[in-house]
Amino acid sequence: MRPAEELRYLILAIQREGNRKLSTELRPLGLTPSQAEVLRVLADHQPLTLAGLGDLLVCETGGSPSRLVDRLVAVGLIDKQTGPTDRRQITLGLTPAGRHLAAEVATVEERLYGAIDTATAGRPVTETLHLLRGFAADFPAVRAVERRAALRAGRAQT
């Protein structure tokens, strides 16, 4: 197997296993991984416009997350406000139930990250991240990750 093929399949296998584990952990909360990501992004950066949320999502790139948001509005987890002067301007925030569920999602994510930390202990993680950032530099989803990291770094500095 050539290295490019092996890299492709290893990334796919890791993504599938991680998503399977995350889905299993989120099932009791009644959330999909995509819905959980929306809640966590809003918990970290609310209020956001619909477009602003879309710019920070990895689960849905290249478009508006309106259907995903509409489902979360319908179950009472997200509050959706229209602008006072422009009804096309939508601002999103978490409801109290959404904040509570986002905190539970954060706990699930911490368990997943702990398992990843354990599995990668003593391995060249920094070098691997550098390789993957270079490999995926032009992918739209990577830009969302970069924007989130920049927002987090800016918040840490203030």
mmCIF file of all heavy atoms in Angstrom, residues 3-4 6 14 21 23-24 36 51-52 54-55 59 64 70 76 84-85 94 107 116 119 141 143-144 147 149 153 155:
data_model
loop_
_atom_site.group_PDB
_atom_site.id
_atom_site.type_symbol
_atom_site.label_atom_id
_atom_site.label_comp_id
_atom_site.label_asym_id
_atom_site.label_seq_id
_atom_site.Cartn_x
_atom_site.Cartn_y
_atom_site.Cartn_z
ATOM 1 N N PRO A 3 2.050 5.085 0.719
ATOM 2 C CA PRO A 3 1.833 5.915 1.903
ATOM 3 C C PRO A 3 0.590 6.821 1.808
ATOM 4 O O PRO A 3 -0.126 6.975 2.804
ATOM 5 C CB PRO A 3 3.119 6.738 2.003
ATOM 6 C CG PRO A 3 4.156 5.872 1.371
ATOM 7 C CD PRO A 3 3.436 5.169 0.236
ATOM 8 N N ALA A 4 0.325 7.412 0.660
ATOM 9 C CA ALA A 4 -0.847 8.292 0.526
ATOM 10 C C ALA A 4 -2.141 7.525 0.770
ATOM 11 O O ALA A 4 -3.059 8.032 1.431
ATOM 12 C CB ALA A 4 -0.869 8.937 -0.861
ATOM 13 N N GLU A 6 -2.448 4.707 2.563
ATOM 14 C CA GLU A 6 -2.512 4.343 3.972
ATOM 15 C C GLU A 6 -2.912 5.544 4.830
ATOM 16 O O GLU A 6 -3.747 5.426 5.737
ATOM 17 C CB GLU A 6 -1.173 3.778 4.445
ATOM 18 C CG GLU A 6 -1.234 3.282 5.878
ATOM 19 C CD GLU A 6 0.054 2.621 6.336
ATOM 20 O OE1 GLU A 6 1.074 2.669 5.620
ATOM 21 O OE2 GLU A 6 0.040 2.059 7.451
ATOM 22 N N ILE A 14 -9.721 6.615 11.897
ATOM 23 C CA ILE A 14 -9.697 7.386 13.144
ATOM 24 C C ILE A 14 -10.949 8.247 13.252
ATOM 25 O O ILE A 14 -11.588 8.313 14.308
ATOM 26 C CB ILE A 14 -8.419 8.249 13.215
ATOM 27 C CG1 ILE A 14 -7.192 7.350 13.387
ATOM 28 C CG2 ILE A 14 -8.508 9.272 14.348
ATOM 29 C CD1 ILE A 14 -5.873 8.046 13.117
ATOM 30 N N LYS A 21 -17.663 6.667 18.754
ATOM 31 C CA LYS A 21 -17.601 6.815 20.206
ATOM 32 C C LYS A 21 -18.355 8.059 20.667
ATOM 33 O O LYS A 21 -19.094 8.018 21.656
ATOM 34 C CB LYS A 21 -16.138 6.883 20.672
ATOM 35 C CG LYS A 21 -15.453 5.546 20.632
ATOM 36 C CD LYS A 21 -14.031 5.640 21.132
ATOM 37 C CE LYS A 21 -13.421 4.258 21.113
ATOM 38 N NZ LYS A 21 -12.121 4.184 21.744
ATOM 39 N N SER A 23 -20.838 9.576 19.102
ATOM 40 C CA SER A 23 -22.277 9.334 18.898
ATOM 41 C C SER A 23 -22.854 8.485 20.025
ATOM 42 O O SER A 23 -23.957 8.761 20.516
ATOM 43 C CB SER A 23 -22.519 8.633 17.561
ATOM 44 O OG SER A 23 -22.197 9.473 16.493
ATOM 45 N N THR A 24 -22.129 7.482 20.438
ATOM 46 C CA THR A 24 -22.577 6.611 21.532
ATOM 47 C C THR A 24 -22.724 7.405 22.828
ATOM 48 O O THR A 24 -23.695 7.239 23.557
ATOM 49 C CB THR A 24 -21.594 5.440 21.717
ATOM 50 O OG1 THR A 24 -21.566 4.676 20.497
ATOM 51 C CG2 THR A 24 -21.998 4.542 22.868
ATOM 52 N N ALA A 36 -24.301 18.637 18.700
ATOM 53 C CA ALA A 36 -23.436 18.905 19.851
ATOM 54 C C ALA A 36 -22.411 19.974 19.514
ATOM 55 O O ALA A 36 -22.131 20.855 20.343
ATOM 56 C CB ALA A 36 -22.747 17.618 20.302
ATOM 57 N N ALA A 51 -24.636 33.142 9.912
ATOM 58 C CA ALA A 51 -23.417 33.059 9.095
ATOM 59 C C ALA A 51 -22.178 32.915 9.973
ATOM 60 O O ALA A 51 -21.261 32.145 9.652
ATOM 61 C CB ALA A 51 -23.294 34.283 8.207
ATOM 62 N N GLY A 52 -22.147 33.640 11.095
ATOM 63 C CA GLY A 52 -21.009 33.535 12.012
ATOM 64 C C GLY A 52 -20.873 32.145 12.589
ATOM 65 O O GLY A 52 -19.766 31.619 12.728
ATOM 66 N N GLY A 54 -21.968 29.409 11.095
ATOM 67 C CA GLY A 54 -21.527 28.579 9.970
ATOM 68 C C GLY A 54 -20.029 28.654 9.733
ATOM 69 O O GLY A 54 -19.392 27.661 9.389
ATOM 70 N N ASP A 55 -19.447 29.837 9.964
ATOM 71 C CA ASP A 55 -18.000 30.013 9.781
ATOM 72 C C ASP A 55 -17.168 29.251 10.802
ATOM 73 O O ASP A 55 -15.985 29.026 10.593
ATOM 74 C CB ASP A 55 -17.628 31.496 9.886
ATOM 75 C CG ASP A 55 -18.024 32.288 8.664
ATOM 76 O OD1 ASP A 55 -18.315 31.691 7.610
ATOM 77 O OD2 ASP A 55 -18.034 33.535 8.775
ATOM 78 N N CYS A 59 -18.603 20.541 11.200
ATOM 79 C CA CYS A 59 -19.574 19.532 10.763
ATOM 80 C C CYS A 59 -20.321 19.941 9.503
ATOM 81 O O CYS A 59 -20.750 19.084 8.738
ATOM 82 C CB CYS A 59 -20.576 19.218 11.880
ATOM 83 S SG CYS A 59 -21.686 20.596 12.291
ATOM 84 N N SER A 64 -25.008 27.303 4.888
ATOM 85 C CA SER A 64 -25.678 27.790 6.080
ATOM 86 C C SER A 64 -26.163 26.608 6.911
ATOM 87 O O SER A 64 -26.745 25.669 6.382
ATOM 88 C CB SER A 64 -26.865 28.657 5.667
ATOM 89 O OG SER A 64 -27.665 28.935 6.776
ATOM 90 N N ASP A 70 -32.480 25.103 12.989
ATOM 91 C CA ASP A 70 -33.944 25.036 13.117
ATOM 92 C C ASP A 70 -34.381 23.851 13.978
ATOM 93 O O ASP A 70 -35.316 23.969 14.771
ATOM 94 C CB ASP A 70 -34.611 24.967 11.748
ATOM 95 C CG ASP A 70 -34.580 26.301 11.011
ATOM 96 O OD1 ASP A 70 -34.313 27.339 11.660
ATOM 97 O OD2 ASP A 70 -34.804 26.299 9.782
ATOM 98 N N GLY A 76 -36.088 23.648 21.664
ATOM 99 C CA GLY A 76 -35.896 24.577 22.762
ATOM 100 C C GLY A 76 -34.482 24.735 23.273
ATOM 101 O O GLY A 76 -34.289 25.168 24.410
ATOM 102 N N PRO A 84 -33.715 43.895 14.685
ATOM 103 C CA PRO A 84 -34.789 44.875 14.819
ATOM 104 C C PRO A 84 -35.041 45.672 13.542
ATOM 105 O O PRO A 84 -36.162 46.084 13.281
ATOM 106 C CB PRO A 84 -34.315 45.783 15.955
ATOM 107 C CG PRO A 84 -32.854 45.564 16.057
ATOM 108 C CD PRO A 84 -32.579 44.189 15.523
ATOM 109 N N THR A 85 -34.006 45.869 12.727
ATOM 110 C CA THR A 85 -34.171 46.648 11.497
ATOM 111 C C THR A 85 -34.089 45.803 10.242
ATOM 112 O O THR A 85 -34.546 46.226 9.192
ATOM 113 C CB THR A 85 -33.113 47.764 11.417
ATOM 114 O OG1 THR A 85 -31.815 47.172 11.458
ATOM 115 C CG2 THR A 85 -33.282 48.748 12.567
ATOM 116 N N LEU A 94 -27.965 30.381 23.176
ATOM 117 C CA LEU A 94 -28.486 29.194 23.854
ATOM 118 C C LEU A 94 -29.579 29.581 24.838
ATOM 119 O O LEU A 94 -29.489 30.600 25.520
ATOM 120 C CB LEU A 94 -27.368 28.473 24.601
ATOM 121 C CG LEU A 94 -26.271 27.858 23.738
ATOM 122 C CD1 LEU A 94 -25.184 27.271 24.628
ATOM 123 C CD2 LEU A 94 -26.822 26.802 22.803
ATOM 124 N N THR A 107 -18.561 17.791 28.975
ATOM 125 C CA THR A 107 -18.100 16.665 29.788
ATOM 126 C C THR A 107 -17.816 15.449 28.911
ATOM 127 O O THR A 107 -16.795 14.769 29.080
ATOM 128 C CB THR A 107 -19.147 16.325 30.866
ATOM 129 O OG1 THR A 107 -19.334 17.479 31.687
ATOM 130 C CG2 THR A 107 -18.718 15.146 31.725
ATOM 131 N N ILE A 116 -8.003 10.261 24.001
ATOM 132 C CA ILE A 116 -7.038 10.582 22.950
ATOM 133 C C ILE A 116 -5.682 10.898 23.575
ATOM 134 O O ILE A 116 -4.640 10.430 23.085
ATOM 135 C CB ILE A 116 -7.539 11.740 22.071
ATOM 136 C CG1 ILE A 116 -8.757 11.298 21.256
ATOM 137 C CG2 ILE A 116 -6.430 12.242 21.143
ATOM 138 C CD1 ILE A 116 -9.491 12.435 20.561
ATOM 139 N N ALA A 119 -4.109 7.633 24.546
ATOM 140 C CA ALA A 119 -3.687 6.849 23.378
ATOM 141 C C ALA A 119 -2.462 7.439 22.690
ATOM 142 O O ALA A 119 -1.700 6.711 22.048
ATOM 143 C CB ALA A 119 -4.836 6.722 22.380
ATOM 144 N N ALA A 141 -13.051 23.086 6.163
ATOM 145 C CA ALA A 141 -13.263 22.741 7.571
ATOM 146 C C ALA A 141 -12.069 23.157 8.426
ATOM 147 O O ALA A 141 -12.233 23.511 9.593
ATOM 148 C CB ALA A 141 -13.526 21.241 7.726
ATOM 149 N N ARG A 143 -10.315 25.828 8.015
ATOM 150 C CA ARG A 143 -10.455 27.255 8.280
ATOM 151 C C ARG A 143 -11.365 27.493 9.497
ATOM 152 O O ARG A 143 -11.138 28.397 10.291
ATOM 153 C CB ARG A 143 -10.977 27.981 7.052
ATOM 154 C CG ARG A 143 -9.915 28.093 5.949
ATOM 155 C CD ARG A 143 -10.324 29.074 4.909
ATOM 156 N NE ARG A 143 -10.077 28.841 3.516
ATOM 157 C CZ ARG A 143 -9.785 27.727 2.869
ATOM 158 N NH1 ARG A 143 -9.679 26.617 3.503
ATOM 159 N NH2 ARG A 143 -9.577 27.679 1.575
ATOM 160 N N ALA A 144 -12.400 26.680 9.634
ATOM 161 C CA ALA A 144 -13.290 26.792 10.795
ATOM 162 C C ALA A 144 -12.516 26.486 12.072
ATOM 163 O O ALA A 144 -12.668 27.184 13.079
ATOM 164 C CB ALA A 144 -14.493 25.854 10.654
ATOM 165 N N ARG A 147 -10.306 29.488 12.818
ATOM 166 C CA ARG A 147 -11.079 30.622 13.350
ATOM 167 C C ARG A 147 -11.434 30.400 14.815
ATOM 168 O O ARG A 147 -11.353 31.312 15.640
ATOM 169 C CB ARG A 147 -12.337 30.855 12.515
ATOM 170 C CG ARG A 147 -12.067 31.537 11.183
ATOM 171 C CD ARG A 147 -13.354 31.941 10.481
ATOM 172 N NE ARG A 147 -14.074 30.826 9.921
ATOM 173 C CZ ARG A 147 -13.898 30.328 8.697
ATOM 174 N NH1 ARG A 147 -12.989 30.855 7.894
ATOM 175 N NH2 ARG A 147 -14.615 29.316 8.262
ATOM 176 N N ALA A 149 -9.800 28.516 16.984
ATOM 177 C CA ALA A 149 -8.562 28.623 17.767
ATOM 178 C C ALA A 149 -8.179 30.095 17.957
ATOM 179 O O ALA A 149 -7.763 30.487 19.052
ATOM 180 C CB ALA A 149 -7.430 27.859 17.085
ATOM 181 N N ALA A 153 -7.878 32.001 21.485
ATOM 182 C CA ALA A 153 -6.622 32.676 21.863
ATOM 183 C C ALA A 153 -6.883 34.139 22.194
ATOM 184 O O ALA A 153 -6.338 34.659 23.163
ATOM 185 C CB ALA A 153 -5.601 32.555 20.745
ATOM 186 N N ARG A 155 -9.690 35.409 23.340
ATOM 187 C CA ARG A 155 -10.412 35.445 24.611
ATOM 188 C C ARG A 155 -9.468 35.201 25.778
ATOM 189 O O ARG A 155 -9.601 35.787 26.827
ATOM 190 C CB ARG A 155 -11.541 34.406 24.601
ATOM 191 C CG ARG A 155 -12.464 34.557 25.786
ATOM 192 C CD ARG A 155 -13.639 33.610 25.755
ATOM 193 N NE ARG A 155 -13.168 32.259 25.860
ATOM 194 C CZ ARG A 155 -13.593 31.255 25.085
ATOM 195 N NH1 ARG A 155 -14.480 31.457 24.158
ATOM 196 N NH2 ARG A 155 -13.144 30.043 25.259
#
